[in-house]
């Protein structure tokens, strides 16, 4: 029986529930997003204070990415050994420590190590939180997509706050270094409130079998499995590309604004809030658009988002007028907003494959 028939027969998507596990994952992603998106406006200021070359400044984002790659390669083994809860809070502590070390700004050696530590903690925190959300809300395609979009919307709020906090401190005559204390403050506030949450997803593979979008086991299961593997590879490749695209905008928009339209470092850092504001608006809209939707709707939203993001990138890259560069930031944020959560949801859905057959009945 097709998914359409099942829905018509009274099998709608279940209600989306934001429980303590969901709130914990959202909160962790918001802290990670704050540090991740603070790096873009912070690096030119760090370069100014430590008199770094452009190459050495850029190595900080490379160190952050290298730490993330290393961690994600080891994530599967770490999760099997220590579980989601220990991984989540250890990662948040490593992220906070990396931010504090980066705030010292005593030498390039220390700040490069701090960036790598922040990458390790941040990637581990993000991967753990997203894995928990994908499994916990994975009983239906639209629920998983909505959880991932909402998680990134929560992250966009703190991403928007990062350049505003930094530029606000600079404008007030205070040091930008104080902006990096906030991840440690967040850890101190979140752990007493949510630290006891076991972070054990409630959705099993058997529950996923109730999703009408998943093909039932049977003679066509092997063919469905091959199609799922192909869909996973395509969606995963696209997911990787859009992450790189987003990071390029987040890390290099500030120096581009400084060089192309001659804004000051402080003005460029503040202008980056337009990019993050566009992301927030896009993700809030994406949360509603994905509510109760089918995978085809998510794929269509990805296509539209790619077109808007490309238009924003071109406007920013080619701009010689300030207004056009700022418009490019807004369009880039709107377009990028839902690309990562939706391509990730499509990859998870494509790689899930058909559910296992039910066990044989027990004899009386």
């Amino acid at each position: 029986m097709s998914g359409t028939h099942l829905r018509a027969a009274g099998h709608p998507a279940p209600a989306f529930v934001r429980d303590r596990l969901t709130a914990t994952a959202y909160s962790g992603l918001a802290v990670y997003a704050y540090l991740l998106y603070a790096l873009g406006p912070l690096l030119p200021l760090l370069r100014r204070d430590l008199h770094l070359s452009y190459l050495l400044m850029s190595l900080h984002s490379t160190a952050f990415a290298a730490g993330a790659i290393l961690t994600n390669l080891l994530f599967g083994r770490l999760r099997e050994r220590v579980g989601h809860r220990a991984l989540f809070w250890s990662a948040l502590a490593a992220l906070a420590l990396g931010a504090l070390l980066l705030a010292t700004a005593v030498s390039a050696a220390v700040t490069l190590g701090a960036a790598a530590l922040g990458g390790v903690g941040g990637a581990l925190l993000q991967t753990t939180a997203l894995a928990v959300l994908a499994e916990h809300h994975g009983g239906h395609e639209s629920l998983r997509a909505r959880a991932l979009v909402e998680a990134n919307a929560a992250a966009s709020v703190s991403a928007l706050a990062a350049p505003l906090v930094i530029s606000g401190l600079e404008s007030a005559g205070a040091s930008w270094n104080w902006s990096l204390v906030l991840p440690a403050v967040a850890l101190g506030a979140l752990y007493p409130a949510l630290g006891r949450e076991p972070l054990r997803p409630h959705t099993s593979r058997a529950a996923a079998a109730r999703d009408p979008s998943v093909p039932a086991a049977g003679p066509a299961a092997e063919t469905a499995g091959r199609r799922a593997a192909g869909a996973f590879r395509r969606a995963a490749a696209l997911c990787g590309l859009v992450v790189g695209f987003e990071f390029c905008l987040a890390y290099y928009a500030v120096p581009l604004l400084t060089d192309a339209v001659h804004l000051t470092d402080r003005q460029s850092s503040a202008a980056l809030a337009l990019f993050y504001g566009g992301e927030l608006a896009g993700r809030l809209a994406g949360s509603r658009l994905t509510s109760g939707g089918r995978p085809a709707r998510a794929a269509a939203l990805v296509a539209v988002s790619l077109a808007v993001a490309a238009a924003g990138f071109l406007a920013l890259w080619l701009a010689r007028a300030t207004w056009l560069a700022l418009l490019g930031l807004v369009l880039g944020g709107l377009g990028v907003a839902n690309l990562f959560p939706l391509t990730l949801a499509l990859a998870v859905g494509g790689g899930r494959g058909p559910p296992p057959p039910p066990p044989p009945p027990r004899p009386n």
Side-chain angles (χ1 to χ4, degrees):
M1 183 179 291
S2 69
T4 303
H5 291 160
L6 281 168
R7 289 185 180 91
H11 293 275
F16 184 80
V17 179
R18 300 177 188 89
D19 51 14
R20 281 177 58 86
L21 183 148
T22 305
T24 304
Y26 285 6
S27 301
L29 286 170
V31 179
Y32 168 61
Y34 178 84
L35 179 60
L36 176 65
Y37 291 109
L39 283 179
L42 278 180
L43 289 181
L45 302 175
L46 184 68
R47 178 191 180 193
R48 178 198 67 190
D49 291 354
L50 294 182
H51 307 289
L52 304 177
S53 66
Y54 188 84
L55 174 62
L56 198 53
M57 181 195 76
S58 300
L59 284 177
H60 285 78
S61 55
T62 303
F64 193 92
I69 292 172
L70 175 64
T71 301
N72 285 325
L73 290 174
L74 301 175
F75 174 73
R77 296 179 182 179
L78 290 173
R79 181 170 66 168
E80 290 178 359
R81 291 192 175 188
V82 301
H84 288 125
R85 181 176 177 272
L87 276 183
F88 182 91
W89 293 108
S90 298
L92 186 51
L95 177 70
L97 178 59
L100 291 175
L101 289 174
L102 186 61
T104 62
V106 294
S107 69
V110 173
T111 55
L112 281 170
L117 179 60
V120 168
L124 189 58
L125 180 64
Q126 180 191 41
T127 307
T128 303
L130 291 177
V132 165
L133 287 173
E135 294 174 19
H136 186 59
H137 296 285
H140 194 278
E141 189 81 30
S142 66
L143 297 184
R144 181 171 58 247
R146 183 170 183 179
L148 296 178
V149 169
E150 282 195 0
N152 282 272
S156 291
V157 175
S158 57
L160 175 61
L164 296 179
V165 170
I166 295 165
S167 62
L169 288 171
E170 287 282 300
S171 299
S175 174
W176 57 265
N177 309 66
W178 289 104
S179 65
L180 293 175
V181 176
L182 290 182
V185 173
L187 173 61
L190 289 174
Y191 188 77
L194 299 171
R196 294 184 180 273
E197 173 59 42
L199 293 181
R200 296 191 185 98
H202 304 316
T203 299
S204 65
R205 191 168 173 83
R210 292 193 294 269
D211 185 348
S213 66
V214 178
E222 185 176 348
T223 301
R226 287 195 299 269
R227 291 177 179 173
F232 170 76
R233 285 191 292 268
R234 291 189 295 273
L238 181 58
C239 186
L241 289 174
V242 300
V243 167
F245 180 76
E246 181 177 358
F247 282 6
C248 282
L249 285 175
Y251 287 156
Y252 297 109
V254 170
L256 182 61
L257 289 172
T258 302
D259 295 339
V261 296
H262 309 296
L263 298 181
T264 65
D265 287 340
R266 183 188 304 170
Q267 290 171 334
S268 298
S269 297
L272 199 58
L274 293 173
F275 175 74
Y276 302 141
E279 277 195 323
L280 176 59
R283 284 169 177 166
L284 291 176
S287 175
R288 296 188 63 85
L289 290 173
T290 56
S291 178
R294 302 179 185 177
R297 180 185 294 183
L301 186 55
V302 167
V304 173
S305 298
L306 282 171
V308 175
F313 178 80
L314 287 175
L316 179 62
W317 183 261
L318 300 176
R320 292 299 177 264
T322 303
W323 70 267
L324 184 58
L326 298 182
L327 178 61
L329 283 176
V330 175
L331 290 177
L334 282 171
V336 161
N338 296 299
L339 286 177
F340 172 67
L342 288 179
T343 54
L344 178 61
L346 290 173
V348 172
R352 188 175 61 190
R362 294 182 179 180
N364 294 328

